[in-house]
């Protein structure tokens, strides 16, 4: 059967398949599970017609890919961005399935969204779009069926509108979305969770690979891409711990600070982004240098920790080589599939070269903190209670520690290589194998393969 060309999904599938090869060679019965798990359980594609402020009808495409429910209700964000298409959502839903497995929580994998662009739209236009979008989506989601969340373009405002539309359509108040406001079912630490969780994961990597670059040292230099929610809270946690943040970026360029970002400047960026602004408006700020049309990875002479936090495939092979040359020791993705295949190959080759190489963590492991706290929000909703900031943060730290341990253990066993002295196991292999085994075993128990 000839399938449509879906480059993002095919890249994610190829990465998983390659990582699984040593495991599948030893356990050939799981090959059937791989064949089955790569096909989504359900794909929804629908029309969204909404009215702009001039009374003119506009149309967009709506999607929900319900990928796998072996471990729980489908769980994954709703992305609102002109680039959204089925290939991107299949890749994200596929990755989400194994990411959610690594959290240890009862969540399946899914993803959805629309090619609608919130930028440049009024609040009323966004509200009308959200109500039209939910007018179809509500038929297919629910607290025990599919629990969407925010993603690129879908923040607190959009989640509020979507929740309100669902409540009116179903006449029920239930936890069928996560990322809700604190006064109506949301969880503490949810906005911060992906960024904070990334740093909690990285702390374990540093402790094992390069403790001299502890994040409590100002001499530890950290490069971050993106400037949305994930990157802002990643940067704030790094600054809180004491290391130096050198960069943020957006689709138009990068803003570099050799002396390091401050908490106050990050807060200014958060206010700017909330209004739809770009970093180029800060080009003349003292102590910061703006580079139009460039990502941070080739702009810094020395980097110890690199944290891609913008979007998929944002680190190329050439940029990976620049990071290795700059002395990077840890690369961990805050974005989903932030590194190209070529970049990952370069990082993995550096790891195998011996002590002092790069240790790479894929997003399905290092950025699972966001969906982990979404899962904790679901648990709080089910019990009709709210945990404190300290309780949620402690649970997040434990989840990230467990995730790291699982990836390290599976990587040590199934990397398919003899580890020389001082060579660290592949966290890429570990995350893929551990996530796959958990999902495949649940599918087998439920009769999805035998």
């Amino acid at each position: 059967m000839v399938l449509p060309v879906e480059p993002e999904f095919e890249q994610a599938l190829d990465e998983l398949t390659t990582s699984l090869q040593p495991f599948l060679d030893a356990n050939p019965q799981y090959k059937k599970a791989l064949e089955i798990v790569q096909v989504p359980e359900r794909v929804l594609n629908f029309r969204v017609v909404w009215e702009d402020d001039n009374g003119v009808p506009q149309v967009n495409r709506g999607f929900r890919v319900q990928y796998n429910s072996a471990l729980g209700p489908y769980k994954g964000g709703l992305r609102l961005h002109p680039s959204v298409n089925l290939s991107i959502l299949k890749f994200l839903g596929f990755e989400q399935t194994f990411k959610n497995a690594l959290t240890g929580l009862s969540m399946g994998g899914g993803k959805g969204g629309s090619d609608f662009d919130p930028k440049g739209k009024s609040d009323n236009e966004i509200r009308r779009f959200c109500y039209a979008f939910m007018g179809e989506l509500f038929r297919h989601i629910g607290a025990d069926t599919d629990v969407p969340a925010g993603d690129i373009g879908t923040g607190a405002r959009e989640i509020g509108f979507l929740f309100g539309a669902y409540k009116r359509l179903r006449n029920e108040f239930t936890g069928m979305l996560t990322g809700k406001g604190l006064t109506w079912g949301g969880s503490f630490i949810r906005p911060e969770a992906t960024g904070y969780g990334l740093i909690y994961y990285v702390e374990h990597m540093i402790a094992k690979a390069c403790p001299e670059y502890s994040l409590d040292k100002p001499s530890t230099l950290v490069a971050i891409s993106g400037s949305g929610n994930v990157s802002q809270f990643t940067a704030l946690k790094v600054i809180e711990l004491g290391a130096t943040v050198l960069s943020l970026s957006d689709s138009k360029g990068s803003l570099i600070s050799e002396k390091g970002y401050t908490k106050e400047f990050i807060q200014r960026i958060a206010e700017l982004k909330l209004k739809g602004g770009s970093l180029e408006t800060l080009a003349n700020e003292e102590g910061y240098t703006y580079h139009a049309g460039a990502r941070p990875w080739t702009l810094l002479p020395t980097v110890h920790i690199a944290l891609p936090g913008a979007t998929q495939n944002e680190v190329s092979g050439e940029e990976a080589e620049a990071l290795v040359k700059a002395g990077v020791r840890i690369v961990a993705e805050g974005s989903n599939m932030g590194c190209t295949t070529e970049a990952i190959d370069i990082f993995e080759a550096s790891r195998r070269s011996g002590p002092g190489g790069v240790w790479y963590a894929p997003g399905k492991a290092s950025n699972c903190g966001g969906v982990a706290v979404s899962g904790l929000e679901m648990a709080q909703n089910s019990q009709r209670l709210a945990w404190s900031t300290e309780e949620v943060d402690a649970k997040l730290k434990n989840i990230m520690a467990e995730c790291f341990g699982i990836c390290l253990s599976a990587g040590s066993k199934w990397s398919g290589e003899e580890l020389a002295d001082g060579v660290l196991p592949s966290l890429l292999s570990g995350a893929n194998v551990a996530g796959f085994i958990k999902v495949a075993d649940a599918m087998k128990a439920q009769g999805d393969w035998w």
Side-chain angles (χ1 to χ4, degrees), residues 90-120:
K90 280 184 66 179
F91 128 62
L92 290 169
F94 187 64
E95 289 278 290
Q96 196 79 48
T97 297
F98 306 109
K99 177 192 297 188
N100 293 358
L102 292 172
T103 69
L105 302 175
S106 297
M107 299 182 292
K111 207 75 177 185
S114 173
D115 56 4
F116 171 82
D117 188 357
K119 289 184 178 178

Side-chain angles (χ1 to χ4, degrees), residues 134-396:
M134 187 56 77
E136 176 60 30
L137 187 65
F138 87 100
R139 308 172 198 278
H140 312 285
I141 64 175
D144 298 313
T145 305
D146 183 352
V147 185
D151 196 79
I152 293 173
T154 307
R157 172 184 55 186
E158 289 77 16
I159 290 293
F161 292 152
L162 290 165
F163 184 86
Y166 183 93
K167 184 161 64 77
R168 285 164 176 77
L169 288 162
R170 296 294 290 261
N171 192 30
E172 62 181 23
F173 191 108
T174 184
M176 38 53 72
L177 280 172
T178 56
K180 300 184 293 298
L182 288 173
T183 58
W184 44 280
S187 173
F188 286 109
I189 306 292
R190 180 58 193 93
E192 300 92 338
T194 307
Y196 281 16
L198 173 62
I199 297 306
Y200 297 154
Y201 193 97
V202 164
E203 285 185 304
H204 291 287
M205 295 177 70
I206 292 171
K208 186 163 184 65
C210 48
E212 66 272 24
Y213 294 125
S214 169
L215 291 177
D216 61 3
K217 298 176 180 178
S219 58
T220 298
L221 305 179
V222 181
I224 302 171
S225 66
S227 52
N229 181 75
V230 172
S231 299
Q232 290 169 25
F233 285 113
T234 299
L236 287 171
K237 180 56 73 171
V238 171
I239 293 167
E240 176 190 322
L241 293 172
T244 300
V245 174
L246 299 177
S247 66
L248 289 176
S249 67
D250 60 19
S251 59
K252 294 184 178 181
S254 297
L255 195 62
I256 306 297
S257 174
E258 293 182 6
K259 294 183 179 180
Y261 276 73
T262 64
K263 176 183 177 181
E264 293 73 23
F265 199 74
I266 299 290
Q267 290 169 339
R268 281 184 60 191
I269 288 174
E271 293 169 4
L272 175 70
K273 287 297 172 181
L274 198 59
K275 298 173 184 175
S278 64
L279 294 180
E280 64 182 345
T281 61
L282 303 172
N284 297 320
E285 291 289 328
E286 185 177 354
Y288 295 86
T289 305
Y290 182 73
H291 299 262
R295 295 186 287 249
W297 316 123
T298 60
L299 302 176
L300 299 163
T302 305
V303 178
H304 302 132
I305 316 292
L307 306 174
T311 189
Q312 67 268 10
N313 288 329
E314 55 171 299
V315 183
S316 67
E318 179 184 350
E319 289 167 321
E321 290 175 347
L323 283 170
V324 172
K325 187 176 179 181
V328 74
R329 294 296 306 279
I330 301 290
V331 177
E333 294 176 340
S335 54
N336 293 305
M337 207 166 71
C339 298
T340 62
T341 302
E342 293 76 18
I344 293 171
D345 289 345
I346 289 166
F347 296 143
E348 287 289 274
S350 175
R351 174 185 61 81
R352 296 187 194 99
S353 68
V358 179
W359 208 14
Y360 162 76
K364 63 169 62 72
S366 55
N367 75 27
C368 75
V371 74
V373 174
S374 279
L376 297 178
E377 182 176 329
M378 291 166 64
Q380 292 170 81
N381 291 167
S382 295
Q383 299 173 70
R384 296 290 196 270
L385 52 76
W387 298 325
S388 69
T389 298
E390 293 74 21
E391 287 177 294
V392 178
D393 197 37
K395 292 177 189 295
L396 173 60

